[in-house]
């Protein structure tokens, strides 16, 4: 006998394999009925169907969007989902902003958007350790932006975060 | 003292209110979908609002140690506007979301045929999605409106234990007590109910199936009214267990019927990083 959550997921996955659009009804309920990791499993069953992933993200609540953002790099999407990452970077939800700068965002965001994203992390007190591959993407312009921000903080008598100091 | 406000429109409150509510003992809220102060003119306006009730508001609340769930619906006022009726077709996908613990608020505002159609359609949606229902009663012609509300609920065949009839007062509490539905009371500074009258009703009708809310919204209202009722209850001789029943266990029991009420520890710290944008400004 399978647990109810395993049973739910075992029935949900073939539905998505057969018809990717079936995920629209299953994905919102997936964590409470299929248990932790169920959303990630359902996304995998889409085999990189980027139009469905886009509409799923647009219709998603924060939990669903977070599940999509953190899985993007595993979904064979090439650069097609960079718009979702940019959408997440427009929010003021630290969970979404941090997830946007995960492996997928770091791989596909252009330099300007990536630098703005990193600076937004600093503003939101998201540790820079949350940014994937920061060493690879770090450049002189980002260093200048962080230095200028540190100067603003000092002028205001506010502490400069340690992970910013380490980068400038 | 722990307080669950079962009906409050946090969208129209400031972040400072969350801070004051937490200090007063509020640890959980349900925000039912309602209007925006000014009428909406299209379905998209509802969808952005629903997305905020599922995203931004729970996030904002969690940073002040408050669990935020919501009830979604086409509200009675806007059920009369044909430009907004299309939102009924969007509701089914929203009613699947984790933090949706009821359909609401539905019911009558001006007692029109359009309101009745939307009310009945949404009672059916609640049953299809296994969700309880929060029903608004009209402020004008309240007693007649509440009677008709109960007729519609009975005709829909939804079990009374899954229905909360809100904004009750001395004129309407009796018929709802007899119906088996849960009884909701909105405590306001000038209108609706006040803490002393509320406590008088608790003495008369007991504490079972009774819920007290601040319904704080765009009007002159106060998100701390729930706490005031608790204080007046204690001063009037009710025990701490009675207060806990009315202001915590009753809302938990009612919305818990959704199977989606998540009050697990963790909201105290919040799903954020220390000193996020809201706190830092």
């Amino acid at each position: 006998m399978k647990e109810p959550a395993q049973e739910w997921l075992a029935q949900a996955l073939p539905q998505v394999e057969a018809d990717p659009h079936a995920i629209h009804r299953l994905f919102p309920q997936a964590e409470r009925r299929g248990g932790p990791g169920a959303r990630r499993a359902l996304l995998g069953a889409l085999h990189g169907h980027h139009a469905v992933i886009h509409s799923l993200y647009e219709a998603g609540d924060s939990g669903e969007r977070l599940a999509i953002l953190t899985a993007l790099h595993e979904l064979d999407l090439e650069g097609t989902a960079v718009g979702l990452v940019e959408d997440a970077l427009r929010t003021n939800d630290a969970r979404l902003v941090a997830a946007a700068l995960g492996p997928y965002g770091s791989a596909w965001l252009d330099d300007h958007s990536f630098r703005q994203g990193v600076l937004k992390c600093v503003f939101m007190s998201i540790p820079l350790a949350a940014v994937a591959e920061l060493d690879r993407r770090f450049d002189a312009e980002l260093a200048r932006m962080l230095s200028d921000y540190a100067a603003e903080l000092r002028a205001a008598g506010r502490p400069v975060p340690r992970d910013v100091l380490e980068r400038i | 003292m722990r307080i669950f406000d079962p009906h409050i429109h946090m969208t129209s409150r400031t972040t400072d209110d969350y801070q004051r509510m937490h200090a007063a003992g509020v640890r959980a809220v349900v925000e039912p979908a309602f209007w925006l102060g000014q009428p909406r003119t299209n379905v998209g306006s509802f969808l952005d609002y629903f997305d905020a009730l599922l995203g931004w508001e729970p996030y904002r609340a969690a940073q002040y140690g408050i669990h935020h769930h919501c009830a979604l619906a086409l509200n009675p006022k806007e059920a009369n506007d044909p430009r907004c009726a299309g939102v009924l077709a969007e509701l089914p996908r929203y009613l699947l979301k984790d933090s949706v613990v009821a359909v609401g608020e539905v019911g009558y505002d001006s007692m029109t045929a359009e309101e009745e159609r939307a009310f009945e359609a949404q009672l059916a949606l609640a049953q299809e999605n296994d969700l309880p229902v929060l029903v608004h009663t009209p402020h004008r012609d309240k007693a007649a409106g509440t009677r008709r509300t109960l007729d519609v609920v009975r005709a829909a065949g939804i079990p009374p234990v899954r229905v909360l009839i809100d904004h009750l007062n001395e004129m309407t509490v009796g018929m709802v007590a007899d119906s088996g539905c849960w009884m909701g009371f909105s405590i306001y500074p000038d209108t609706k109910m006040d803490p002393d009258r509320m406590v008088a009703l608790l003495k008369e009708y007991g504490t079972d199936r009774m819920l007290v809310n601040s319904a704080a919204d765009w009007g002159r209202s106060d998100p701390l009214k729930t706490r005031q009722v608790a204080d007046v209850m204690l001063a009037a001789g009710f025990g701490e267990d009675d207060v806990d029943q009315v202001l915590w266990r009753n809302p938990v029991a009612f919305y818990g019927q959704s199977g989606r009420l998540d009050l697990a520890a963790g909201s105290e710290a919040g799903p954020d990083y220390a000193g996020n944008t809201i706190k830092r400004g």
Side-chain angles (χ1 to χ4, degrees):
Chain A
M1 278 291 283
K2 287 179 175 166
E3 295 291 317
Q6 287 176 306
E7 184 65 35
W8 187 90
L9 189 58
Q11 292 190 6
L13 286 171
Q15 292 178 50
V16 177
E17 294 278 358
D19 173 16
H21 296 280
I23 200 170
H24 289 297
R25 188 170 172 78
L26 297 166
F27 198 64
Q29 331 173 42
E31 296 288 314
R32 67 176 186 271
R33 303 193 61 187
R39 284 192 174 137
R40 197 176 205 110
L42 290 176
L43 290 171
L46 286 174
H47 302 296
H49 196 315
H50 59 83
V52 169
I53 290 170
H54 264 259
S55 53
L56 199 59
Y57 181 89
E58 280 168 11
D61 62 21
S62 301
E64 293 170 77
R65 291 180 180 193
L66 199 56
I68 293 170
L69 290 168
T70 52
L72 283 176
H73 62 291
E74 303 168 350
L75 300 180
D76 301 323
L77 291 165
E78 297 299 320
T80 58
V82 76
L84 304 185
V85 172
E86 288 165 349
D87 179 84
L89 286 173
R90 281 191 290 272
T91 72
N92 268 322
D93 183 327
R95 299 164 303 174
L96 297 178
V97 170
L101 291 170
Y104 186 89
S106 186
W108 294 100
L109 281 168
D110 64 37
D111 288 340
H112 179 79
S113 303
F114 181 80
R115 293 185 200 112
Q116 284 289 331
V118 172
L119 203 57
K120 186 160 181 169
C121 284
V122 176
F123 268 80
M124 298 181 80
S125 302
I126 298 169
L128 290 181
V131 179
E133 294 192 75
L134 182 56
D135 288 343
R136 183 178 68 77
R137 302 258 353 221
F138 201 82
D139 59 12
E141 178 63 2
L142 181 51
R144 181 202 60 77
M145 290 162 77
L146 291 174
S147 298
D148 284 358
Y149 179 55
E152 263 188 73
L153 288 174
R154 289 190 191 102
R158 297 182 183 132
V160 180
R162 179 188 296 262
D163 54 359
V164 172
L165 283 174
E166 286 167 356
R167 294 277 174 180
I168 57 179
Chain B
M1 182 184 298
R2 54 182 183 172
I3 294 172
F4 187 138
D5 193 332
H7 181 154
I8 183 165
H9 300 285
M10 292 309 299
T11 296
S12 48
R13 312 301 305 189
T14 65
T15 297
D16 293 358
D17 282 335
Y18 276 121
Q19 206 165 12
R20 295 192 304 132
M21 287 161 65
H22 186 270
V26 178
R27 295 292 180 272
V29 299
V30 166
E31 175 157 11
F34 204 46
W35 63 323
L36 286 181
Q38 145 166 327
R40 295 181 177 89
T41 60
N42 66 86
V43 172
S45 180
F46 275 95
L47 304 188
D48 283 340
Y49 172 67
F50 291 166
D51 286 343
L53 295 190
L54 294 165
W56 177 245
E57 278 308 330
Y59 180 70
R60 194 161 76 120
Q63 285 161 39
Y64 295 90
I66 295 176
H67 295 277
H68 182 289
H69 294 81
C70 67
L72 297 183
L74 168 60
N75 65 75
K77 272 179 200 282
E78 288 171 315
N80 292 301
D81 189 336
R83 294 174 299 180
C84 297
V87 74
L88 287 176
E90 301 286 342
L91 270 174
R93 69 179 173 91
Y94 277 101
L95 297 181
L96 299 170
K97 305 295 190 191
D98 283 337
S99 62
V100 177
V101 293
V103 171
E105 26 188 327
V106 295
Y108 290 114
D109 178 52
S110 300
M111 309 265 282
T112 65
E114 289 79 8
E115 290 169 17
E116 189 156 295
R117 272 198 294 277
F119 185 14
E120 289 170 341
Q122 294 182 98
L123 287 173
L125 277 179
Q127 287 171 289
E128 285 163 26
N129 288 277
D130 209 14
L131 288 170
V133 189
L134 170 59
V135 183
H136 163 101
T137 52
H139 303 306
R140 302 177 299 278
D141 201 10
K142 183 177 281 289
T146 305
R147 249 190 310 278
R148 193 150 140 201
T149 297
L150 290 171
D151 289 342
V152 170
V153 167
R154 261 189 295 272
I158 186 166
V161 71
R162 297 180 71 82
V163 179
L164 165 56
I165 312 279
D166 213 341
H167 312 313
L168 300 180
N169 59 23
E170 291 85 352
M171 307 297 291
T172 54
V173 58
M175 64 178 106
V176 180
D178 293 341
S179 74
C181 295
W182 295 74
M183 293 158 274
F185 300 86
S186 299
I187 317 299
Y188 260 38
D190 301 319
T191 58
K192 300 189 174 88
M193 290 293 290
D194 67 41
D196 292 323
R197 286 164 53 215
M198 185 66 235
V199 170
L201 287 185
L202 287 167
K203 281 185 182 165
E204 187 176 348
Y205 288 88
T207 51
D208 289 346
R209 286 189 286 131
M210 300 286 259
L211 284 89
V212 170
N213 63 72
S214 73
D217 59 7
W218 304 106
R220 180 155 187 261
S221 51
D222 178 357
L224 306 186
K225 282 293 178 202
T226 46
R227 174 57 193 254
Q228 282 183 25
V229 169
D231 291 341
V232 175
M233 278 180 78
L234 291 172
F238 281 100
E240 285 182 13
D241 189 66
D242 299 318
V243 171
D244 192 65
Q245 182 191 3
V246 173
L247 287 151
W248 185 266
R249 297 199 306 271
N250 284 351
V252 169
F254 177 72
Y255 290 116
Q257 295 179 91
S258 67
R260 304 185 203 171
L261 196 64
D262 181 6
L263 300 172
S267 189
E268 289 299 318
D272 61 334
Y273 298 91
N276 56 71
T277 44
I278 304 180
K279 285 179 183 163
R280 278 163 50 154

